[in-house]
Amino acid sequence: MSVAARESGAMMAAANAEATALRGVWAGRAALAGSCVAVLGMTFWAYRHFIAMHWLPLWDESWYYMTAVRIWHALHSGNLNAAGRETWNYHLAIGMPFLAPYFLVLGLMIGGTSLEAARAGSLIAGLLGCGAVAWLAATLAGERKAYAAAVAAVLWGTSPMFLFYSSRAQYESFSMLFTVLCLVAAARFAERGGRLAAAATGMCASLVFLTKYNVGVLLMAGLFLGLAWPEIRKRLVADPRGLLEQVTRPWILLVATAIVPVALWLMAGEVRLFMNFLKGFPYDAMDLGAQFLFFPRSFFQEYMAVPLLGVLVLAGVAYWSLKGWGEPGIRVALVCGWLNVFGAVLHTTKDGRYIWGSVALATALTGAFVAREMPRWPRWQKVPASIAVALGLVWSVWAAPAAAQTFFSRNQTAPTAEQQRALEGALQFIRANTQPGQAIFVAGVADYGINLNMIRQFLANPVTGAEGDIQALPCPVTAPAWGYPTEPSPLYAQLLREQFVKTPGASLVVLDHEAGSPYRGRLYPWIFSWQENYQQAAGDVAGLQNVAALDTHTGLRLTVYRLVQGQKPALP
């Protein structure tokens, strides 16, 4: 073959390779654009079905939302002392990070003081977090970044758990956003170094810690084990004296002696308070098998719109767990993910959202695996595998609304329109049959901190944020786990009498859950099953009058009592 022919063949081969690479680039961009459209569509769908329908608060939402409303009204009126007081009270109440409510305040600043605005702020953070997951996948992949980002975005953006909790006024979206951004910065710092990447890693880790203590502690441990310790160990082997000299430099000693002990004391104290708060939660005891099977079931049933795609995610995590430890960015993501899973398995209570961060990182690792490793397979493996992954992702987008709606129906306080109307009618009944400006005593809520705030949120003035004097009367006996009866307390009538002696103009609202209601534990998880005790106690106080009663005919009854004018409360 002549030299000219060889050169011509080489030029044609180079041109073909360039054309193939260009087609791959455009195909990757098209896949990424399609994934963006799919995720935006799913986010809009979640807003329409989970936020715009004005569902009542769910669990922690009542506490978090009302705290954010009080802080927002204080800031809006320029009362920084009141904002600081509300922040500190919330911080002391359950040991939660003081920064967390301010993320919901951002939603209120944009959309006004409504639960829907706070939820929309969380959903926006969730959408940004999904973009961060795609960014992390592209960073870890190093090549074919668009494919990696597209796969990760669809896997996470179609997750029923993601769509549900991102549309709640809770902190999962915010903590996940900063966690993933922290790992993006950590991967860039491990690859290139630089002060900006180091500062971004530290700042994002701090924001995670100040949003959710438990997630922040695990993230910092993961950063140390996955990023810092390998470097420290390498330097110890190379020059232990040099490392010791660095540690003993004056400015480092100053930081260690002046800042670290204070930080450790605050962290230990507040984390301990938070854990003590969690111990008060009732939970069902599980055997060892159920403990270890809970999260695998949650992963396939609650995180994957198409359970079969869970196999792909596990394959990606398994691959990097075996071969990715040499790459710092992948190593730190693996360590953080596995630490989170380990902590969730050991936790005394079980909730699928405890592995929220781990699954988000797993989808990023899966995107990197698909983009970087699958193209290296032989053609007879690569082509069918790529087609299967593409079809699986399209299937996930198609199946996500039904899967998310099913998850929502199992977990939302009022899953049906009938049940929603019953709860709203009960809250309207409280508003209509209590005296404006007078105290309201509430008996029968299952959790004073969370469920009482459902009532507070409904009765609050939407313009000023004022809640009025609403108090949950404590039960003189230890509260049992939800759904389990307890013996009536003879001290309760005495407690009621003492309360009305102090506040004679108050109203007493008793919430009573009918035994055997088909909605028990689902529509009214915030109502105890033993409220007959309160009814009996109110009847035993001379001078208390039954002024209004409501039967919702869905298992929930309400009764309002007030002191007869001119009489003093007394026991017979």
Side-chain angles (χ1 to χ4, degrees), residues 395-432:
W395 187 11
S396 183
V397 174
W398 179 81
Q405 187 64 58
T406 299
F407 182 81
F408 177 83
S409 298
R410 286 200 311 266
N411 291 276
Q412 174 62 25
T413 302
T416 69
E418 177 192 3
Q419 296 163 4
Q420 175 80 3
R421 286 193 296 270
L423 279 175
E424 289 180 343
L427 294 170
Q428 290 283 11
F429 173 81
I430 296 175
R431 171 182 285 170

Side-chain angles (χ1 to χ4, degrees), residues 255-396:
V255 171
T257 55
I259 298 177
V260 172
V262 176
L264 290 176
W265 179 79
L266 286 172
M267 184 177 72
E270 299 309 327
V271 170
R272 184 174 63 251
L273 178 60
F274 182 66
M275 295 307 295
N276 287 337
F277 171 76
L278 289 180
K279 289 178 183 177
F281 272 62
Y283 63 95
D284 295 328
M286 297 181 180
D287 58 30
L288 192 61
Q291 289 273 359
F292 285 97
L293 289 177
F294 182 90
F295 290 110
R297 290 193 186 113
S298 176
F299 172 73
F300 283 102
Q301 296 175 1
E302 300 175 339
Y303 280 96
M304 296 289 110
V306 178
L308 193 59
L309 283 176
V311 178
L312 175 65
V313 175
L314 293 180
V317 173
Y319 178 86
W320 292 123
S321 296
L322 293 173
K323 296 190 175 182
W325 295 101
E327 301 182 39
I330 290 176
R331 181 175 63 238
V332 72
L334 284 170
V335 172
C336 289
W338 283 119
L339 280 177
N340 193 352
V341 170
F342 184 70
V345 170
L346 293 182
H347 204 287
T348 54
T349 60
K350 292 290 176 281
D351 191 316
R353 64 191 170 100
Y354 292 170
I355 58 171
W356 169 280
S358 295
V359 179
L361 297 182
T363 58
L365 289 167
T366 303
F369 164 71
V370 170
R372 188 161 68 169
E373 298 304 320
M374 285 181 58
R376 299 175 182 176
W377 294 355
R379 185 177 180 83
W380 64 272
Q381 295 178 346
K382 175 174 58 178
V383 173
S386 300
I387 294 174
V389 170
L391 291 176
L393 296 177
V394 172
W395 187 11
S396 183

